[in-house]
Amino acid sequence: MEEMTRSEVNKIWENLTIADNFIFQKVMRKKRLCKRFIEKILHIRIRKIMFPETEKGINVRRDSKSVRLDVYVEDDKGTLYDIEMQTTDYADPAELPKRTRYYQAMMDMDVLNKGEFYTKLRKTYIIFICTFDPFDRNLSQYTFRETCAEDATLEMGDETTKIFLNSKGKREGIDSDLAAFLDYIEGKAPKGKFTETIANEVEVAKENKEMKVEYMTYYMELRRSEERGMEKGMEKGRQEGRWTTLAELVREGVLTLKEAAKKAGMSEENFRKLVVH
């Protein structure tokens, strides 16, 4: 089983593209590329960027949902950028917008220390690169900021921006290098110096033996975790099915409540809730 898994991962590794989260993170660790990428999306110039952490994890409270940001960047002015590769098109259209909302909240809480004024909050950009159209308007770039409903020219000034890039959208109105990059995500040959450099870095990453071992370890552990989750889910389903059967036997008078509760391994009070339900 182990050898089959390694063979499978080898094949997957050979077919990885920039759209894969692992490869995307490795390529975007190149400061010059990441800096140019941000500049082309926002049409700005940045003097320099820094990576506070390789992969930024934020967990404000032990009982809160933690987030792990793919590419977390800070520029020389203190502006924060979170760049995410998103290949899963969720059935619920609210998933990605609500996710950016949560990421924003977690980033804000992460940088604001107790007792500090809210004005200390940083300017932030959350950028999702999607291999699907998240809003079905056929645009290659969707940019969202807080504006006044009564006067769309009035921005609230909270300095937060959410951007969704769509590799499936029409290319009108966006930077030519950014358009070429989105085409490259779609499997087309890289065009222009910027995208050709990214494509070269992808190949360099895939030729790196240490990186390959890292990916294989990551992938195999991910598979094991998924398998454990599936096993737990199946066991939970079997257990719930057994409880349902016992509850039905109580309703039919085959078992007493006490007998069924004992077989289910729970108190009569808790099992009574199943019967009533």
Side-chain angles (χ1 to χ4, degrees):
M1 179 65 181
E2 185 75 8
E3 289 305 315
M4 286 181 61
T5 304
R6 287 184 179 278
S7 175
E8 178 186 30
V9 176
N10 268 318
K11 187 173 182 180
I12 291 173
W13 174 259
E14 291 171 4
N15 294 321
L16 287 182
T17 68
I18 188 65
D20 180 85
N21 236 32
F22 183 88
I23 292 294
F24 176 72
Q25 288 182 39
K26 297 301 182 184
V27 171
M28 282 298 157
R29 289 294 298 172
K30 303 293 183 181
K31 286 187 177 181
R32 70 185 188 283
L33 279 180
C34 189
K35 175 176 170 293
R36 289 296 292 147
F37 184 61
I38 294 171
E39 289 176 334
K40 289 179 179 300
I41 295 172
L42 302 178
H43 305 289
I44 60 174
R45 287 293 181 185
I46 302 173
R47 192 166 67 88
K48 67 176 181 178
I49 63 170
M50 298 151 282
F51 294 91
E53 296 178 37
T54 302
E55 188 182 28
K56 175 67 174 177
I58 303 176
N59 189 3
V60 179
R61 300 192 323 266
R62 282 186 298 176
D63 60 343
S64 67
K65 183 180 178 66
S66 63
V67 297
R68 188 158 295 280
L69 309 180
D70 287 350
V71 180
Y72 186 70
V73 180
E74 179 180 351
D75 69 16
D76 54 292
K77 295 181 179 179
T79 301
L80 297 174
Y81 307 86
D82 167 39
I83 309 172
E84 307 279 329
M85 179 62 72
Q86 184 63 53
T87 59
T88 302
D89 187 0
Y90 294 94
D92 188 344
E95 171 69 27
L96 290 188
K98 290 291 180 69
R99 184 178 295 190
T100 63
R101 173 179 167 179
Y102 191 74
Y103 283 15
Q104 180 68 62
M106 295 292 275
M107 290 169 68
D108 286 343
M109 287 189 285
D110 186 57
V111 300
L112 192 65
N113 296 319
K114 185 177 181 179
E116 286 187 324
F117 292 112
Y118 293 115
T119 51
K120 292 291 184 180
L121 286 171
R122 311 275 196 91
K123 178 185 287 188
T124 59
Y125 291 90
I126 297 177
I127 303 169
F128 274 28
I129 306 168
C130 303
T131 57
F132 54 90
D133 192 337
F135 301 102
D136 296 324
R137 299 296 178 90
N138 200 30
L139 299 177
S140 283
Q141 180 169 332
Y142 300 90
T143 303
F144 297 91
R145 297 188 180 92
E146 297 285 351
T147 59
C148 177
E150 290 76 20
D151 182 355
T153 64
L154 175 62
E155 289 193 11
M156 186 165 69
D158 63 347
E159 296 189 310
T160 64
T161 304
K162 283 88 172 176
I163 297 174
F164 297 82
L165 298 180
N166 165 30
S167 66
K168 296 289 193 295
K170 60 184 179 181
R171 304 294 186 239
E172 289 85 349
I174 66 171
D175 181 273
S176 59
D177 282 331
L178 183 58
F181 171 74
L182 293 176
D183 287 341
Y184 174 58
I185 289 179
E186 283 296 296
K188 295 181 181 179
K191 292 183 179 180
K193 185 177 180 181
F194 176 69
T195 305
E196 287 173 355
T197 303
I198 289 178
N200 182 63
E201 289 295 341
V202 169
E203 294 308 311
V204 169
K206 290 171 67 175
E207 290 171 4
N208 187 308
K209 292 182 179 179
E210 291 182 0
M211 205 172 289
K212 180 179 179 180
V213 171
E214 181 185 348
Y215 178 80
M216 291 179 73
T217 304
Y218 156 79
Y219 182 81
M220 290 168 68
E221 182 55 40
L222 182 63
R223 285 286 299 271
R224 292 190 191 102
S225 178
E226 290 174 348
E227 287 171 3
R228 287 194 294 267
M230 289 177 64
E231 288 171 1
K232 287 181 180 179
M234 291 172 66
E235 178 58 34
K236 182 180 179 182
R238 285 194 292 268
Q239 187 177 49
E240 290 178 348
R242 185 165 177 266
W243 291 345
T244 301
T245 300
L246 289 171
E248 190 63 33
L249 291 174
V250 171
R251 294 190 190 97
E252 294 175 358
V254 177
L255 293 175
T256 66
L257 184 65
K258 184 176 182 179
E259 290 171 336
K262 185 177 180 181
K263 289 180 179 293
M266 63 177 66
S267 68
E268 287 186 45
E269 182 181 353
N270 287 336
F271 195 79
R272 183 181 287 108
K273 296 174 183 178
L274 289 176
V275 178
V276 172
H277 178 72

